[in-house]
Amino acid sequence: MKPILELKNVTKRYTGFTLDRVSFALEPGYIMGFIGPNGAGKTTTIKLIMNLIRPDEGEIKIFGLDHRRHEQEIKQRIGFVYDESNFYDTLTTTEMTKVIAPLYKNWDWAAYRKYTEKLALPDRKKLSQFSRGMKMKYALALALSHRAELLVMDEPTSGLDPVVRSEFLDILRDVIQDERCSVLLSSHITSDLDQIADYVTLINGGRIVFSESKEELLEEYALIKGEKSLLDSGLREYVVGLKESRFGFEGLVTNRAEVQRFVGSRAVLERPNLEEIMLYCLRGNGNDHAGA
């Protein structure tokens, strides 16, 4: 099965920052969490995917098509939700939707009504009166109402209260059930991705750190805590993002099974969450000496 989205060695150069040979792929029917610190290259990557800026090198294919040569066809099949909406605030949702709907060949009014009802969106209220959460829900309803096969989302849940975020995530779970639609979800709220992501791609400094199945990541990595003497017995080479203190050490290890055999009962290994994996990977192999 062909990937729904594929980036190969995509490079974009700016003064002071380079998106450097970014490569990853998203299969149909999955949610990929796209994570990284501020300024890592997430939004630049999404702008490249959406052909809002042009790459200096590399290739982007969506539905197996070149994303620039087939832009109009591709965008008929994509739904997008950005962290800031660009709606006409003087219009009501009904008026705004009547502007947007004719742009899509596959617009489905029944689907639109289903999602606006599910998200409790008023149809006669002006968008200027909407909260950020309401605008994000409206943008999601629009994205889902033309049978999009790929949803591209840039920090859509940022700043939303837990109830709205939960509604948002529930709908994304439902969307991928028929294995036709995929979601690329850029977010710094890794707890959301712990719940719904199938794959996770971490970017830092314009480079991909990893792009893997979430379950494989959680099986591969482990948090480890123990006495400092263990480090000098050969363990140090396994530890990523090492934190040392006078009382001991903690960090992240790869190859969990091998490390478990090596340390036995001399250290504690725990299952990490995505935020812990990200933070330790970003910290890197340099030691962080705490509490001297």
Side-chain angles (χ1 to χ4, degrees):
M1 186 179 292
K2 286 185 179 179
I4 230 171
L5 172 67
E6 187 173 19
L7 284 75
K8 291 183 179 179
N9 298 316
V10 174
T11 298
K12 180 67 180 179
R13 300 181 185 89
Y14 294 104
T15 301
F17 177 79
T18 298
L19 194 74
D20 189 12
R21 292 170 292 174
V22 165
S23 299
F24 63 85
L26 174 59
E27 302 290 335
Y30 294 103
I31 297 175
M32 176 179 282
F34 193 34
I35 62 175
N38 290 338
K42 300 190 300 295
T43 297
T44 298
T45 302
I46 286 176
K47 285 181 176 179
L48 287 163
I49 290 168
M50 298 302 297
N51 201 26
L52 300 175
I53 55 177
R54 293 189 174 186
D56 296 318
E57 297 170 19
E59 180 181 51
I60 301 173
K61 286 190 174 182
I62 305 174
F63 314 118
L65 305 171
D66 182 271
H67 83 301
R68 287 174 58 190
R69 286 202 301 270
H70 300 275
E71 180 179 11
Q72 289 189 346
E73 178 184 346
I74 286 169
K75 286 188 174 177
Q76 285 287 324
R77 302 165 65 185
I78 290 181
F80 51 90
V81 180
Y82 295 145
D83 61 342
E84 292 185 8
S85 61
N86 294 301
F87 304 125
Y88 297 125
D89 280 351
T90 57
L91 300 182
T92 65
T93 51
T94 298
E95 292 166 341
M96 188 72 241
T97 305
K98 287 179 179 177
V99 172
I100 293 172
L103 301 176
Y104 294 100
K105 297 175 183 177
N106 291 323
W107 183 266
D108 186 338
W109 280 106
Y112 173 75
R113 285 188 289 272
K114 179 183 82 171
Y115 287 116
T116 53
E117 287 175 10
K118 190 167 188 175
L119 293 166
L121 290 166
D123 56 5
R124 291 187 172 87
K125 192 172 183 179
K126 287 188 177 181
L127 287 158
S128 59
Q129 299 174 300
F130 274 32
S131 65
R132 172 179 166 77
M134 293 291 281
K135 285 183 178 179
M136 288 297 101
K137 290 201 288 185
Y138 177 58
L140 179 60
L142 293 175
L144 294 172
S145 296
H146 61 274
R147 302 176 189 170
E149 297 164 58
L150 172 64
L151 297 180
V152 178
M153 302 187 167
D154 189 7
E155 299 286 358
T157 58
S158 176
L160 303 186
D161 67 59
V163 174
V164 176
R165 277 173 43 212
S166 179
E167 288 178 321
F168 213 92
L169 300 180
D170 284 344
I171 286 177
L172 293 184
R173 285 191 192 95
D174 290 343
V175 163
I176 64 165
Q177 291 306 308
D178 65 359
E179 300 184 357
R180 182 185 62 86
C181 184
S182 295
V183 180
L184 178 67
L185 175 58
S186 168
S187 179
H188 68 275
I189 306 175
T190 52
S191 59
D192 289 350
L193 303 177
D194 275 316
Q195 295 182 55
I196 66 167
D198 301 296
Y199 292 88
V200 180
T201 297
L202 172 62
I203 188 169
N204 185 41
R207 293 187 175 186
I208 299 297
V209 179
F210 59 69
S211 185
E212 296 184 42
S213 154
K214 182 184 71 178
E215 287 309 311
E216 288 177 357
L217 283 171
L218 296 177
E219 288 299 323
E220 176 185 355
Y221 288 100
L223 294 174
I224 187 168
K225 298 175 184 178
E227 295 182 0
K228 289 178 68 173
S229 58
L230 266 177
L231 295 173
D232 298 325
S233 65
L235 179 65
R236 187 180 298 270
E237 65 185 86
Y238 292 99
V239 184
V240 178
L242 179 64
K243 289 177 65 177
E244 294 183 61
S245 73
R246 58 185 173 180
F247 303 108
F249 76 91
E250 62 181 65
L252 189 75
V253 293
T254 57
N255 203 333
R256 179 185 185 128
E258 185 176 341
V259 170
Q260 183 68 73
R261 287 194 297 270
F262 181 79
V263 301
S265 60
R266 295 178 296 166
V268 176
L269 274 75
E270 300 173 349
R271 184 179 173 95
N273 57 36
L274 288 179
E275 182 173 358
E276 290 164 333
I277 292 173
M278 179 179 77
L279 292 177
Y280 277 105
C281 285
L282 295 183
R283 184 178 287 137
N285 291 314
N287 291 3
D288 179 7
H289 293 272

